[in-house]
Amino acid sequence: MILLNDPRTRRRRLGVAAAAAGLLTALLTAAPATAIPDPGDAQTARKEVSNSTQAEARQAITNGEIPGQDEIVHSRNIEHLANIPKDVLPGTNSDLAFQGKYAFAGNYDGFRVFDISNPRSPKTVAQVLCPGSQNDVSVSGDLLFLSTDSSRSDSSCNSTTQPTTEKSSWEGMKVFDISDKTNPKYVAAVETACGSHTHSLVPERKNVYIYVSSYSPNAAFPDCQPPHDGISVIKVPRNAPEKAAVVDFPVLFPGEGPDGGGNPGAPTNPGVSKTTGCHDITVLQSQDLAAGACMGDGILMSIKDPEHPKVIDRVQDNVNFAFWHSATFNQKANKVVFTDELGGGVGATCNEATGPNRGADGIYDIVGKDDKRKLVFRSYFKIPRHQADTENCVAHNGSLIPVKGKDIMVQAWYQGGVSVWDFTDSRHPKEIGYFERGPLTTDTLTTGGSWSAYYYNGYVYSNDIAKGFDVLKISDWRTDPAKRVRLSELNVQTQPDYFD
C-alpha cells in the first residue's frame, strides 16, 4: 500500500527500549570516536537486537506508526517511477554521477552504467566488475574515476583483499576511459596514502585535479602513517590519463605531535571522531571555494590555486556532531550544509532517544569576504519521521535542487529514505517531501537504504544499498522551476553554478 500525503509525522517513541537496554548509549558515546563511517565491505551488515527492540518495531508497524517491511510510502508530491534491482554486482550500492543521458552507479564490487533517457525505464548498458570499497564514482569528459578504500593485492580489477600492514598492498584512485559507455576500459591507477574513501574533481580544460579524502592512519600501515592531516591532490592529463600522479599533499590541520592539529576526539571531546584526514570535500569552482567535512572538523577552503588548496576557516561542534561527513553549498555560496554521520551509517539514530540534533544536518551561513570568510552556525535539520531500531538511519549524501532564489535540497537518509527540504531560512529549515521504504527486517539491525539521492535534469535518482537504483519525480510549486535547468554532466561533489 502506498500512503499519499502521509499525515503521520510520526514523532513516536521508537528507540526508548533500546536506550533503556544500553544499546543507544554505546552507539552515541563509544562508537563515533572510533567508527569507520559508511557501511563496510559486507554486502548486508547485520547486528543482533534485543527481543524488546524487535517487538517494538513490529508493534509500530501494526499501529501504523512506520511502514510495513519493504512497504513504500511517500508524500503526495513525490512519485516513484522506477526501481532497477541489483544484478551481477552483489555488493553495497554507493555513490552516483551523471553525464548526458547516463547515470553511473558505484558499487563495492565495481560500477554500473544506466541509460536514463527514459527515466521511467532505465536500461543497463554496462556493469564493470572491479572490487574495492567504496567505489565512489565521478565522471569528466571521457574519463571515469573510482575510489578504492580497501587494501588490495594490486591495482587491477582482479585484485584480492590483502592486509594493510603489507607494504605491497594497494589503495587509491582508478581511471577508466568511458568514451564507449557500453565498454569502459581501465586505463590508469594512482596509489594514495590511506587509500581513497571519497574524491572530488576540479576539472580544467587540459587537466582534471582530484582531491582524495582518506583517513584512519596507523603506525603499523606502511602506506598510511600518522599524522594523516591532509588530502592527496592528483593531476590527470585528459589526453594522457596514464600519466596521472599525486602532485601535492596539502596539510589542512597543522599541529605538533603525531596526530597533527585536528580535533583530538575522545577523551577530550567524548563522542566526537578524532580528525585524521577528511571524509568528503565539495568544490564550488565558480566561487573558488571548497567545503570539507573532516571527521571532527568542518572547513572552508580557497581553491584559487587548485593544486594548493588552503583552509580559510574551521569549525567544530563537540556537542552534537560525531562525524563530519559531507558538505553542500547553496547556489549563492553564502551557506553550507554539513552532515553528521553519527554511528557510521550502520546505526539506528532516527529515533526519539537520539533526538533531532544528532545524526542531522548542520546549517552554516558564510559571512565576510574572500579569505576572511567565516562559517557561522544557524540550525540543525533532521527528518521528522522516527524509524525503527532495526533501521540504519542518519544524514547522508544529497544535492541542491536548482531553484533560483531558494535553497532546497534532496538528501539520502539510508533507511530513513529520501527527503526534500528547504533551508532558505537558515534558522528554520523544513521538509517539503519524502520517500521511504519500511524496514528491511524487524529481527536485526540490517544495513540498507538510500546511500545517495541526487537531483539531475528534472528527476531524483537514488542508489539504495540493498534495493537497487530508484527514480523519483517531485511535482511541487516550490521545486518545479528546477525542471528548466539542464546539465550535461553532474558530479555532486563538484557543485555546478546552475544559473551561470
Side-chain angles (χ1 to χ4, degrees), residues 234-291:
I234 297 174
K235 182 178 181 179
V236 185
R238 290 188 184 276
N239 293 332
E242 68 279 1
K243 295 182 180 180
V246 175
V247 294
D248 196 17
F249 187 87
V251 174
L252 305 180
F253 303 98
E256 301 296 329
D259 298 324
N263 195 318
T268 303
N269 297 316
V272 177
S273 290
K274 175 181 175 181
T275 298
T276 60
C278 289
H279 180 277
D280 213 340
I281 292 170
T282 293
V283 302
L284 188 59
Q285 279 184 279
S286 62
Q287 301 292 326
D288 292 326
L289 277 179

Side-chain angles (χ1 to χ4, degrees), residues 172-229:
M173 290 299 308
K174 295 168 181 170
V175 185
F176 290 78
D177 183 327
I178 55 168
S179 52
D180 179 358
K181 303 297 188 294
T182 66
N183 187 28
K185 296 185 182 301
Y186 187 14
V187 296
V190 180
E191 187 171 16
T192 54
C194 300
S196 175
H197 193 75
T198 66
H199 68 270
S200 308
L201 304 186
V202 186
E204 297 185 335
R205 186 170 63 86
K206 292 184 177 181
N207 304 297
V208 180
Y209 291 97
I210 309 174
Y211 294 164
V212 177
S213 296
S214 56
Y215 50 88
S216 294
N218 189 300
F221 301 163
D223 298 318
C224 185
Q225 292 283 301
H228 183 73
D229 48 12

Side-chain angles (χ1 to χ4, degrees), residues 134-446:
Q134 47 182 50
N135 280 344
D136 189 34
V137 62
S138 296
V139 294
S140 184
D142 288 337
L143 300 178
L144 179 145
F145 306 93
L146 202 66
S147 285
T148 298
D149 194 36
S150 61
S151 187
R152 314 296 299 179
S153 56
D154 55 57
S155 62
S156 76
C157 285
N158 298 315
S159 66
T160 57
T161 57
Q162 184 167 288
T164 314
T165 52
E166 293 190 22
K167 175 63 178 172
S168 63
S169 296
W170 185 92
E171 297 180 66
M173 290 299 308
K174 295 168 181 170
V175 185
F176 290 78
D177 183 327
I178 55 168
S179 52
D180 179 358
K181 303 297 188 294
T182 66
N183 187 28
K185 296 185 182 301
Y186 187 14
V187 296
V190 180
E191 187 171 16
T192 54
C194 300
S196 175
H197 193 75
T198 66
H199 68 270
S200 308
L201 304 186
V202 186
E204 297 185 335
R205 186 170 63 86
K206 292 184 177 181
N207 304 297
V208 180
Y209 291 97
I210 309 174
Y211 294 164
V212 177
S213 296
S214 56
Y215 50 88
S216 294
N218 189 300
F221 301 163
D223 298 318
C224 185
Q225 292 283 301
H228 183 73
D229 48 12
I231 58 173
S232 298
V233 180
I234 297 174
K235 182 178 181 179
V236 185
R238 290 188 184 276
N239 293 332
E242 68 279 1
K243 295 182 180 180
V246 175
V247 294
D248 196 17
F249 187 87
V251 174
L252 305 180
F253 303 98
E256 301 296 329
D259 298 324
N263 195 318
T268 303
N269 297 316
V272 177
S273 290
K274 175 181 175 181
T275 298
T276 60
C278 289
H279 180 277
D280 213 340
I281 292 170
T282 293
V283 302
L284 188 59
Q285 279 184 279
S286 62
Q287 301 292 326
D288 292 326
L289 277 179
C294 303
M295 305 182 73
D297 293 270
I299 59 175
L300 192 65
M301 293 189 290
S302 168
I303 58 169
K304 290 179 181 178
D305 180 352
E307 284 195 28
H308 306 288
K310 68 174 184 178
V311 176
I312 60 177
D313 195 31
R314 169 184 167 192
V315 290
Q316 297 178 354
D317 180 348
N318 294 320
V319 175
N320 288 315
F321 259 49
F323 190 95
W324 296 68
H325 176 275
S326 53
T328 302
F329 288 99
N330 69 337
Q331 179 60 32
K332 291 182 179 179
N334 60 8
K335 298 175 190 175
V336 181
V337 174
F338 289 102
T339 66
D340 172 23
E341 195 184 38
L342 171 67
V346 296
T349 72
C350 295
N351 51 29
E352 184 183 44
T354 305
N357 297 338
R358 307 198 73 185
D361 296 314
I363 304 166
Y364 286 75
D365 284 352
I366 301 174
V367 300
K369 295 183 178 181
D370 302 323
D371 288 358
K372 296 186 181 298
R373 283 174 282 196
K374 299 291 183 182
L375 294 163
V376 179
F377 173 76
R378 295 304 187 206
S379 66
Y380 299 105
F381 170 78
K382 193 171 184 179
I383 56 173
R385 292 166 306 287
H386 289 161
Q387 308 296 309
D389 282 340
T390 59
E391 296 179 274
N392 62 307
C393 177
V394 75
H396 211 234
N397 293 342
S399 76
L400 280 188
I401 297 179
V403 178
K404 187 171 288 189
K406 297 289 185 180
D407 299 326
I408 301 174
M409 67 180 291
V410 60
Q411 187 175 358
W413 289 79
Y414 291 114
Q415 285 194 72
V418 175
S419 176
V420 178
W421 61 287
D422 187 324
F423 62 103
T424 306
D425 182 345
S426 300
R427 298 181 188 274
H428 301 98
K430 59 183 179 182
E431 184 175 76
I432 61 176
Y434 70 91
F435 166 91
E436 70 165 300
R437 290 181 170 91
L440 288 170
T441 175
T442 58
D443 296 327
T444 59
L445 174 53
T446 303

